[in-house]
Amino acid sequence: MDGRVVEELSRIVGAEWLYTAEHQLRTYESDGLLQYQGTPACAVLPSTAEEVQAVVRLCAREQIPWVARGAGSGLSGGALPVKDGVLVVLTRMKRILEIDLDNGRVCVEPGVTNANVSAAVGPGFFYPPDPSSQIVCSIGGNVAENSGGAHCFKYGFTTNYVTGLELVLGDGELVQIGGYELDSPGYDLLGAFVGSEGTLGVATKIWLRVVPSPETVKTLVAFFDSTHAAGEAVSQIVQGGVVPGAIEMMDAKAIEASEMMANAGYPVGRAAALLVELDGAEQECEARFDEVVSICEQCGSDDVRVARDEAERQLFWKTRKAAFPAMGRISPNYFVQDGVIPRTKLPEVLERIEQLGEEYGLIVANVFHAGDGNLHPLVCYDGRVEGEADRAEELSGLILEACLDAGGSITGEHGVGVDKKKHMPKMFAEEDLDAFQRLRCAFDPDGLANPGKVMPTPRLCGEVPGPYRVHPLEAAGLAERF
């Protein structure tokens, strides 16, 4: 990178918050998806929206690509740096700016962790979207990925809780969309931005809706001899009109790994564990909880354990949330996939995943949000074995195709990033992808914000202001103008 640009970045954020040394940049070379890595020219850690704005303006002037990054806990390569680009790290922007519980609102900077939002408004209120990584993942990243979590079956995703955003657009302009209100007039720009994976700009201030904490919470875990039986219990619970706060399922491999880490007394060897949590008014919760226990037993569970107190409830959840990190105890490497299917297709898709694992000779553990059909297959492999990582990625792709065949989607809450962009044409027609690109160009005509993510092939913006200039990719025959 031009030394003149480096000096200017240093003046904007301060020399101590500009990283250019190789050992400093290694920290940022990937997000939670370790299979993809890249080294930026530099990383800057601004502390204010004005500093973010100045950095992006500089990038726009110099035509330097840039990527915004929060905690780096994403699982789709969405925060993968661009070689020779600028990485804008937002972890210093972690102030809670305003709490207005009378109106059920909180305003935060993008580097605030998900768990700290609920901590700031608790115990009377909480922020429902709760990714398993909530103690480390940042709200800015949650907005970029439209993150979900265990309780989104009842409460919805990030997009249901963002009421306003302050943004720095690709040209460095600072704008605000939305605010306190739930539904602003005009086009749904908030809806377009939430889940746009950093390709439309970067959020520097976020207004969130928070809700009153439920009067009571009751939690159980039921064990089954097959995932089919557990899946049937999920269908009957939902069809019976019960709306649990969460319904989570773990298969035998996930139980084995998690138990090794959490020591919650889960019986290793059982085919499936179903974690069900009801919350709400105490009288209704008590009555419906008995229905859930009865359904689990009718579907074949001979071991239903009800959390006796908050400590045991936390232990149940610790086991579930330990599933991802615990997988390292049974496999040196694993590939986390994220696909969605209609809930009623759970048994057949799980059987297909098992078949694929056998065909490839790889273990696939399953832990997922059963209530909304959001699967998280963990494809285990040994990276030291030549070619095994590639086979794991190939198998992960076939799992996504199984999700599409079942009428589902290639992503639920982890985004597309670099991981799944090659699968986008399996779900969208060219006309759809062109429409996505035109939306992106409306926000970022130069395509400098998080380039190379989401869209499957290099695409250019015909709406670039000023005289037409041949793009290097176009000249090389790798992209076309439309």
Side-chain angles (χ1 to χ4, degrees):
M1 179 172 286
D2 190 314
R4 175 181 49 84
V5 173
V6 173
E7 287 182 12
E8 195 164 344
L9 287 170
S10 178
R11 284 196 296 272
I12 293 171
V13 299
E16 65 178 314
W17 302 113
L18 170 67
Y19 299 158
T20 57
E22 183 178 352
H23 70 279
Q24 293 173 314
L25 297 176
R26 285 186 65 84
T27 301
Y28 303 107
E29 65 184 9
S30 74
D31 60 10
L33 182 66
L34 301 177
Q35 284 81 355
Y36 296 94
Q37 298 178 350
T39 304
C42 67
V44 296
L45 283 73
S47 63
T48 66
E50 289 72 24
E51 289 183 0
V52 174
Q53 185 181 23
V55 169
V56 173
R57 273 184 174 157
L58 174 58
C59 289
R61 188 192 74 200
E62 300 292 332
Q63 292 293 284
I64 297 171
W66 56 276
V67 176
R69 171 190 164 115
S73 59
L75 291 166
S76 63
L80 183 72
V82 174
K83 184 182 178 184
D84 299 327
V86 172
L87 190 66
V88 183
V89 184
L90 300 165
T91 49
R92 292 180 66 209
M93 297 178 64
K94 54 185 179 183
R95 293 178 297 169
I96 294 175
L97 302 170
E98 181 184 5
I99 297 175
D100 180 0
L101 295 184
D102 288 341
N103 289 300
R105 296 288 186 273
V106 58
C107 182
V108 301
E109 290 186 326
V112 174
T113 64
N114 177 290
N116 275 344
V117 176
S118 284
V121 299
F125 284 73
F126 77 113
Y127 175 66
D130 57 344
S132 294
S133 58
Q134 67 181 138
I135 61 171
V136 295
C137 68
S138 61
I139 286 296
N142 289 179
V143 170
E145 302 295 326
N146 188 23
S147 299
H151 289 85
C152 290
F153 173 65
K154 177 176 181 178
Y155 290 98
F157 289 72
T158 300
T159 190
N160 303 115
Y161 292 88
V162 177
T163 63
L165 293 169
E166 178 187 86
L167 308 171
V168 175
L169 302 180
D171 62 357
E173 184 181 5
L174 187 70
V175 300
Q176 180 178 327
I177 55 177
Y180 261 54
E181 65 274 24
L182 277 177
D183 185 19
S184 301
Y187 294 115
D188 183 12
L189 298 180
L190 277 177
F193 191 89
V194 177
S196 61
E197 305 192 27
T199 61
L200 306 186
V202 53
T204 50
K205 189 183 292 183
I206 303 165
W207 285 265
L208 298 168
R209 185 168 63 92
V210 293
V211 299
S213 299
E215 182 181 350
T216 190
V217 178
K218 289 187 71 71
T219 308
L220 66 82
V221 58
F223 299 96
F224 296 82
D225 287 331
S226 72
T227 53
H228 186 98
E232 182 60 28
V234 173
S235 292
Q236 291 199 23
I237 289 169
V238 177
Q239 288 170 9
V242 183
V243 184
I247 315 182
E248 301 287 298
M249 194 189 298
M250 303 165 65
D251 72 2
K253 280 298 176 188
I255 294 171
E256 177 187 345
S258 296
E259 181 58 23
M260 291 169 69
M261 188 169 177
N263 295 310
Y266 277 30
V268 174
R270 296 303 296 265
L274 193 63
L275 179 65
V276 186
E277 183 162 282
L278 267 59
D279 60 9
E282 184 169 4
Q283 190 172 5
E284 180 183 4
C285 200
E286 290 286 346
R288 307 235 71 170
F289 195 76
D290 290 341
E291 289 180 43
V292 172
V293 172
S294 176
I295 290 171
C296 289
E297 291 173 342
Q298 290 170 15
C299 290
S301 177
D302 57 0
D303 187 358
V304 180
R305 304 179 187 182
V306 179
R308 292 164 293 188
D309 50 32
E310 180 60 20
E312 190 166 31
R313 172 178 173 262
Q314 291 299 330
L315 189 60
F316 286 177
W317 275 110
K318 180 182 177 184
T319 307
R320 161 61 184 88
K321 297 203 171 190
F324 282 21
M327 203 54 57
R329 300 194 174 224
I330 64 172
S331 175
N333 306 94
Y334 64 88
F335 200 105
V336 182
Q337 196 45 279
D338 169 48
V340 180
I341 58 172
R343 188 173 49 248
T344 55
K345 300 288 187 179
L346 273 174
E348 67 184 72
V349 174
L350 289 175
E351 288 174 11
R352 178 60 182 149
I353 292 173
E354 184 176 354
Q355 291 170 359
L356 288 169
E358 291 174 355
E359 290 173 16
Y360 277 73
L362 298 174
I363 292 173
V364 182
N366 290 285
V367 52
F368 52 95
H369 310 311
D372 49 11
N374 188 181
L375 304 179
H376 295 316
L378 306 171
V379 181
C380 301
Y381 68 94
D382 187 343
R384 296 166 298 186
V385 179
E386 186 176 354
E388 199 160 282
D390 292 336
R391 288 198 298 124
E393 186 170 358
E394 186 176 317
L395 170 54
S396 297
L398 293 176
I399 290 174
L400 288 184
E401 290 184 11
C403 291
L404 290 175
D405 291 343
S409 167
I410 63 170
T411 184
E413 55 183 347
H414 292 178
V416 175
V418 294
D419 176 30
K420 286 181 268 190
K421 63 179 183 178
K422 60 180 175 293
H423 300 293
M424 288 285 276
K426 299 172 185 173
M427 189 165 178
F428 298 103
E430 276 297 308
E431 293 80 3
D432 300 323
L433 297 173
D434 287 348
F436 294 164
Q437 181 67 4
R438 289 180 188 280
L439 173 64
R440 175 179 182 171
C441 293
F443 281 82
D444 178 32
D446 288 350
L448 297 176
N450 208 12
K453 314 292 167 55
V454 184
M455 303 304 286
T457 56
R459 290 166 186 268
L460 306 177
C461 296
E463 295 82 359
V464 174
Y468 169 67
R469 306 179 296 277
V470 178
H471 191 280
L473 290 174
E474 193 180 356
L478 298 174
E480 62 182 11
R481 183 170 181 256
F482 63 90

